Amino acid sequence: MNTSLSWIRAYVPELNVTPKEYMDAMTLSGTKVESYEELDKCLDKIVVGEVKSCEAHPDSDHLHVCKVDVGGEKLLQIVCGAPNVAAGQKVPVVLVGGRVAGTHSGGSAEGGIEIKAGKLRGVESEGMICSIDELGSSSEFYPEAPSDGIYVFPSDTPVGADAVELLGLHDSVFEYEITSNRVDCYSAIGIAREAAATFGLGFQEPLIKETGNSEDVKDYVSVEVLDTTLCPRYTARVVKNVKIGPSPQWMQRRLASNGIRPINNIVDITNYIMEEYGQPMHAYDYDTIAGHKIIVRRAEAGEKFVTLDGQEHEMDERMLMICDGEKSVGIAGIMGGENSMITDDVKTVLFEAANFDGTNIRLTSKRLGHQTDASQKFDKGLDPNTAMLAMNRACELMEEFGAGEAVGGAIDIYPVKWGSRELPFEPEKINQMLGTRISEEQMLAYFKKLSLTYNEKNRTIVVPSWRQGLFRTCDLAEEVARFYGYDKIPVTLPSGSATAGGLTYEMRIEGIARDIAEDCGFSQGYCYSFESPKVFDKLLLPEDAPERKAIEIRNPLGPDYSIMRTTSLNGLLNSLSTNYNRRNKAVRLYELGNIYLAKKLPLTELPDERKMLTLGMYGEGDFFDMKGVVELLLEKVGVSKKLVYSNSVLKPYYHPGRQAQIFAGDICIGEIGEVHPLVMKNYELGERTYVAVLDLKNIVPLTSFDRKYQGLAKYPATTRDISMIVPKQVTNAQIEAMIVQRGGKILEECTLFDIYEGAPILPGFKSMAYSLRFRHPDKTLEDAEIQSAMKKILNGLDTLGIELRS
């Protein structure tokens, strides 16, 4: 949102501040000013001069030697190269020592260009005659200025007058950052209200004079609104005997300050009303409206419509259209149609000022890919009560400019009227919220400045309809705070019944997982939760794999991000692949992230979101290094149940002989393995890669931070080593489980310290050696007790087909 300072002063006449003071004060009171531009920053000593004579330069084909009266005792001689300079013209003249903007050679656009006396082709020149570009603007905003030549004032302009003032350039333009709860500030009047409240000055809203002849507008046009939900209010008036021409210069200057190019009086009035009241309007050529009837309805599916800019759009039934008796003539709240546009031959104009549902306008604009100034206003959610004000203001300006004659009366379809709201006035609660001791009288004074009245009987604050962001006491507290001054609010400790903050138990577990992973050389990575269905093929998952039952995204960023991931492997393998292909020799990465498992497809309830710790590495380290990291982590978080590694269920993305599921008791808490060679090829990984995936949702219930102290053993331990010939299919987990079961309470530790395959061991077998440590907590063990335990262990191992090595 932009406004000029002069425009604000039209509603706050006593406002007398510098641009910097205005910016600072408005920002502190809650209307943030992003920046401002002083239009006359680079302009100095520029007056109106009259060209008394204009002769050809003796040594140039395009230069002219002019004698110019600037109101002094003598005429100035100025050499000018403009093609349109002529005797008798009133022109802007920069005196010697003055400055202009533009890109004149030898000058700086930042600080302007200083004009000095000198010679041009041997002829003395005492100043400069300016074009509008050299005054820091352009013919786009000054339509009367030639695009190539000097600016010429009207013939009755007084000589010696301040040219910059006559052009409206003694002004500053401010750019505001307006938040979505301050829809009223998307207008010059809304900003002026804030300025008046900020500086404690009077606010003068435009007094709209009654317009309209003795005729009745209902004899000219009828309006039918078929969807009052999407169009809560629709107003219309007719202006006849229309005369197209330029709008007054004051209006052109105000529009130009907002970056709007003046076009003609009809278009300029509708644009001006949109900026003044924040209410978009539209003008139709009355004679092109079939049946002189307006119908507001939803579009038909597949309906084609061509807007004013010549673009054809395909509509659907969610969009709102403005139609006449035969055809569509506009997309509600966005743009009118080519078939009803205003031309220079227009005789009668139908003005529309309506209120449309902001959400619907925003969605329509997005679907059509067509955003306009009007749609940007409407999608904020406007006050319906502004529509008739804007309509009457437009008709007043039409008659004031002599641009037409307003027909009496107005059509106003407004079934559910908006009114003011009343909020309870609770000064004690406001002070409690702010930590202040502001008096009740002071609060009411702030509210009065903001046009919020006080109902003493009901002890309520009456909020006008245009303040749509005030709904409860905390909103009133914010109004008090911004005018009391945020810098004056004392520092206080927060009070309330909230408990002290801290990490949840799950977060503590995740923190330990990060620490262990990083201590073991892993770096954290973040991967997308959105993936492509092609991931499943890269991981060699069969067609009936449960991982393929993924949740599809309705509006994906693209086909590569169309499903929610059901496995965390793809993201980490992609990251490892990127590192490998950038020639990083040894990489260890981990990720803490969710996977999303649908309980049923299509979704009828939220999916099961499981936090997974995924570890991946290549280069230095092997399967057993990864296994060691997993066991260290589980030990640190207090998983006391015995870990079991099982390969009873094989995953296709792991090497068939180097993978295992990890169980704590009978609960599966993860998996570990070497990546399958074909999967490595799919991910362009050239070295053996190892991965472990831990399901934290299953691990957390098994964890504990309780630690029991155990003193040093009082009695000595006895060790026994056994070396065995083991069938190849028997696993270490099976052997350890048997040893622990048969060893009883006196078995303190069982450790595998050697494994061997090859001659002289027969094919289909392997050699495994264990060290067993026995100790009794209350006495020294006798040899007979140890031998008994060993006998039970060997008998148990015998059932697995294991023999002692001789």
Side-chain angles (χ1 to χ4, degrees):
M1 177 65 195
N2 294 347
T3 68
S4 64
L5 191 56
S6 63
W7 199 344
I8 300 303
R9 285 182 177 139
Y11 312 114
V12 190
E14 298 175 5
L15 183 63
N16 184 22
V17 293
T18 66
K20 182 68 166 60
E21 291 170 340
Y22 178 87
M23 180 178 76
D24 291 344
M26 291 291 282
T27 299
L28 287 174
S29 69
T31 307
K32 185 180 178 183
V33 179
E34 286 282 354
S35 62
Y36 70 90
E37 178 187 5
E38 295 177 87
L39 301 181
D40 59 354
K41 180 178 65 172
C42 301
L43 307 178
D44 187 31
K45 297 176 72 173
I46 305 175
V47 299
V48 176
E50 181 178 1
V51 180
K52 292 296 186 180
S53 66
C54 180
E55 299 177 357
H57 192 287
D59 193 24
S60 173
D61 293 334
H62 69 279
L63 294 177
H64 303 84
V65 180
C66 304
K67 298 290 185 178
V68 184
D69 178 11
V70 293
E73 295 180 356
K74 68 169 189 171
L75 300 180
L76 300 180
Q77 178 172 288
I78 299 176
V79 178
C80 179
N84 65 324
V85 66
Q89 292 175 335
K90 301 287 182 68
V91 294
V93 177
V94 189
L95 305 178
V96 172
R99 291 182 304 151
V100 291
T103 55
H104 193 273
S105 60
S108 167
E110 177 66 27
I113 304 163
E114 184 177 353
I115 302 303
K116 300 177 182 179
K119 290 183 179 181
L120 288 176
R121 296 281 184 94
V123 176
E124 295 284 344
S125 183
E126 304 171 286
M128 175 182 174
I129 303 175
C130 303
S131 69
I132 197 66
D133 294 312
E134 289 160 332
L135 292 171
S137 190
S138 70
S139 57
E140 181 181 10
F141 300 116
Y142 288 78
E144 72 277 13
S147 58
D148 183 21
I150 59 170
Y151 185 85
V152 179
F153 287 105
S155 58
D156 59 350
T157 305
V159 172
D162 186 343
V164 177
E165 183 177 356
L166 291 174
L167 290 168
L169 294 173
H170 282 316
D171 205 352
S172 297
V173 177
F174 297 85
E175 179 185 359
Y176 305 88
E177 180 187 314
I178 308 299
T179 53
S180 57
N181 66 321
R182 292 306 308 271
V183 181
D184 57 301
C185 287
Y186 284 96
S187 66
I189 286 178
I191 296 292
R193 283 197 189 102
E194 286 295 305
T198 297
F199 294 98
L201 302 174
F203 169 71
Q204 295 182 6
E205 191 169 350
L207 294 175
I208 302 174
K209 299 176 184 177
E210 186 176 344
T211 56
N213 58 22
S214 58
E215 298 176 279
D216 188 352
V217 69
K218 294 178 182 176
D219 297 332
Y220 280 77
V221 68
S222 63
V223 176
E224 184 180 4
V225 179
L226 300 182
D227 194 325
T228 55
T229 302
L230 299 186
C231 179
R233 188 176 193 184
Y234 191 97
T235 69
R237 289 191 68 177
V238 172
V239 177
K240 65 179 189 177
N241 302 326
V242 171
K243 298 173 185 176
I244 297 290
S247 55
Q249 285 200 357
W250 67 264
M251 178 174 282
Q252 293 187 28
R253 302 296 180 259
R254 288 185 184 177
L255 290 175
S257 70
N258 273 32
I260 298 174
R261 179 170 61 91
I263 298 175
N264 59 47
N265 46 14
I266 306 297
V267 176
D268 290 355
I269 284 173
T270 57
N271 284 334
Y272 182 80
I273 296 300
M274 181 171 66
E275 297 302 310
E276 184 177 44
Y277 281 91
Q279 171 66 53
M281 291 187 63
H282 190 70
Y284 299 98
D285 186 338
Y286 173 79
D287 294 324
T288 65
I289 303 298
H292 295 161
K293 181 176 184 179
I294 292 292
I295 301 172
V296 184
R297 61 164 175 81
R298 288 178 182 262
E300 297 174 358
E303 180 179 348
K304 300 289 195 303
F305 184 74
V306 180
T307 47
L308 279 170
D309 55 2
Q311 293 188 40
E312 184 179 74
H313 301 276
E314 182 173 339
M315 316 303 293
D316 63 44
E317 63 278 0
R318 295 169 292 184
M319 302 173 184
L320 194 66
M321 302 296 292
I322 310 298
C323 309
D324 62 16
E326 300 175 354
K327 61 188 180 299
S328 298
V329 294
I331 304 175
I334 297 177
M335 186 176 280
E338 198 174 48
N339 54 13
S340 61
M341 65 187 297
I342 297 293
T343 66
D344 291 342
D345 299 325
V346 66
K347 302 300 180 186
T348 306
V349 168
L350 171 65
F351 277 123
E352 165 194 285
N355 184 267
F356 302 112
D357 179 73
T359 302
N360 181 262
I361 297 299
R362 183 172 64 254
L363 293 175
T364 299
S365 177
K366 184 178 179 181
R367 291 185 187 112
L368 297 178
H370 199 87
Q371 192 175 64
T372 62
D373 290 339
S375 70
Q376 287 180 314
K377 301 277 187 185
F378 276 122
D379 69 22
K380 305 295 187 299
L382 301 181
D383 175 16
N385 292 325
T386 307
M388 187 54 77
L389 283 173
M391 175 63 75
N392 292 334
R393 175 71 162 152
C395 292
E396 176 196 35
L397 291 173
M398 286 290 288
E399 292 197 346
E400 181 182 321
F401 297 168
E405 177 188 355
V407 173
I411 292 178
D412 186 6
I413 299 178
Y414 192 13
V416 181
K417 293 180 172 56
W418 279 32
S420 56
R421 299 182 298 282
E422 294 196 15
L423 304 179
F425 179 46
E426 303 169 303
E428 299 84 2
K429 192 172 181 179
I430 291 174
N431 275 322
Q432 183 181 13
M433 288 178 175
L434 301 179
T436 55
R437 295 181 180 178
I438 304 171
S439 68
E440 183 175 318
E441 293 73 22
Q442 187 65 50
M443 292 184 190
L444 291 174
Y446 294 146
F447 295 147
K448 184 178 181 181
K449 291 197 300 182
L450 293 165
S451 302
L452 309 178
T453 56
Y454 177 51
N455 185 330
E456 189 172 357
K457 180 181 178 181
N458 297 333
R459 198 164 171 76
T460 56
I461 301 298
V462 182
V463 181
S465 60
W466 44 265
R467 280 307 305 269
Q468 297 183 38
L470 302 182
F471 293 104
R472 51 190 71 82
T473 300
C474 60
D475 298 325
L476 295 178
E478 184 179 2
E479 299 300 295
V480 171
R482 66 192 185 96
F483 285 100
Y484 176 71
Y486 292 112
D487 56 322
K488 297 179 184 176
I489 296 177
V491 176
T492 56
L493 291 173
S495 60
S497 58
T499 58
L503 297 178
T504 64
Y505 187 81
E506 290 80 5
M507 293 170 71
R508 291 171 64 191
I509 298 295
E510 291 172 17
I512 292 173
R514 288 191 188 93
D515 292 343
I516 296 299
E518 290 167 9
D519 287 348
C520 293
F522 289 79
S523 299
Q524 186 170 10
Y526 290 93
C527 303
Y528 290 116
S529 294
F530 302 160
E531 291 186 331
S532 166
K534 298 176 184 177
V535 165
F536 304 130
D537 295 330
K538 291 177 72 175
L539 292 173
L540 308 181
L541 289 166
E543 290 298 325
D544 60 347
E547 290 88 349
R548 287 184 179 267
K549 297 177 181 178
I551 302 164
E552 294 185 4
I553 299 167
R554 284 183 179 176
N555 54 340
L557 299 174
D560 290 338
Y561 304 95
S562 60
I563 61 170
M564 304 294 290
R565 67 176 180 176
T566 56
T567 172
S568 58
L569 284 177
N570 176 65
L572 200 72
L573 290 176
N574 274 325
S575 298
L576 291 170
S577 174
T578 300
N579 280 275
Y580 178 79
N581 287 287
R582 291 182 180 174
R583 300 186 180 182
N584 290 328
K585 294 181 179 180
V587 174
R588 293 187 173 197
L589 297 176
Y590 78 94
E591 183 205 8
L592 267 170
N594 287 345
I595 61 171
Y596 305 86
L597 305 177
K599 299 171 184 175
K600 186 179 179 181
L601 287 177
L603 284 180
T604 56
E605 56 182 313
L606 291 175
D608 182 12
E609 297 186 31
R610 306 190 75 86
K611 182 67 68 71
M612 312 299 283
L613 171 65
T614 311
L615 302 154
M617 68 181 189
Y618 69 80
E620 298 175 1
D622 57 17
F623 180 93
F624 298 102
D625 289 308
M626 182 67 82
K627 181 170 175 281
V629 174
V630 170
E631 292 180 351
L632 176 62
L633 167 63
L634 296 174
E635 178 189 344
K636 289 296 184 182
V637 295
V639 176
S640 57
K641 289 192 175 183
K642 181 70 177 176
L643 297 182
V644 178
Y645 296 85
S646 169
N647 61 357
S648 58
V649 178
L650 298 178
K651 301 287 181 145
Y653 40 79
Y654 291 128
H655 190 292
R658 299 166 190 158
Q659 63 169 293
Q661 287 182 295
I662 307 170
F663 286 83
D666 57 355
I667 299 173
C668 182
I669 61 173
E671 59 191 41
I672 184 172
E674 179 183 325
V675 178
H676 194 288
L678 291 179
V679 176
M680 289 173 56
K681 184 177 180 181
N682 291 339
Y683 284 93
E684 299 181 358
L685 284 162
E687 289 197 35
R688 286 188 175 184
T689 303
Y690 302 92
V691 172
V693 182
L694 297 179
D695 186 344
L696 293 186
K697 194 168 185 178
N698 281 348
I699 291 174
V700 168
L702 305 175
T703 62
S704 172
F705 291 119
D706 294 336
R707 298 290 187 268
K708 292 183 179 179
Y709 170 75
Q710 282 187 324
L712 294 176
K714 297 180 180 179
Y715 300 96
T718 301
T719 60
R720 294 285 189 274
D721 291 345
I722 54 175
S723 181
M724 305 170 291
I725 303 296
V726 181
K728 200 168 183 178
Q729 68 272 16
V730 178
T731 64
N732 172 62
Q734 291 175 288
I735 296 172
E736 284 193 357
M738 182 62 71
I739 292 173
V740 170
Q741 178 191 348
R742 294 300 184 102
K745 294 182 179 180
I746 63 172
L747 178 65
E748 188 176 74
E749 186 176 351
C750 169
T751 305
L752 171 67
F753 67 86
D754 183 64
I755 183 168
Y756 171 75
E757 292 183 49
I761 307 300
L762 295 175
F765 292 88
K766 55 189 173 183
S767 172
M768 301 179 72
Y770 290 82
S771 177
L772 310 182
R773 186 170 66 201
F774 297 92
R775 191 197 309 265
H776 198 289
D778 300 322
K779 65 175 184 175
T780 301
L781 284 172
E782 295 179 3
D783 190 60
E785 294 175 291
I786 297 172
Q787 290 298 338
S788 174
M790 284 298 297
K791 185 176 181 180
K792 291 179 182 178
I793 290 171
L794 294 174
N795 289 338
L797 294 174
D798 186 57
T799 63
L800 298 175
I802 297 173
E803 297 179 2
L804 288 178
R805 288 187 67 177
S806 57

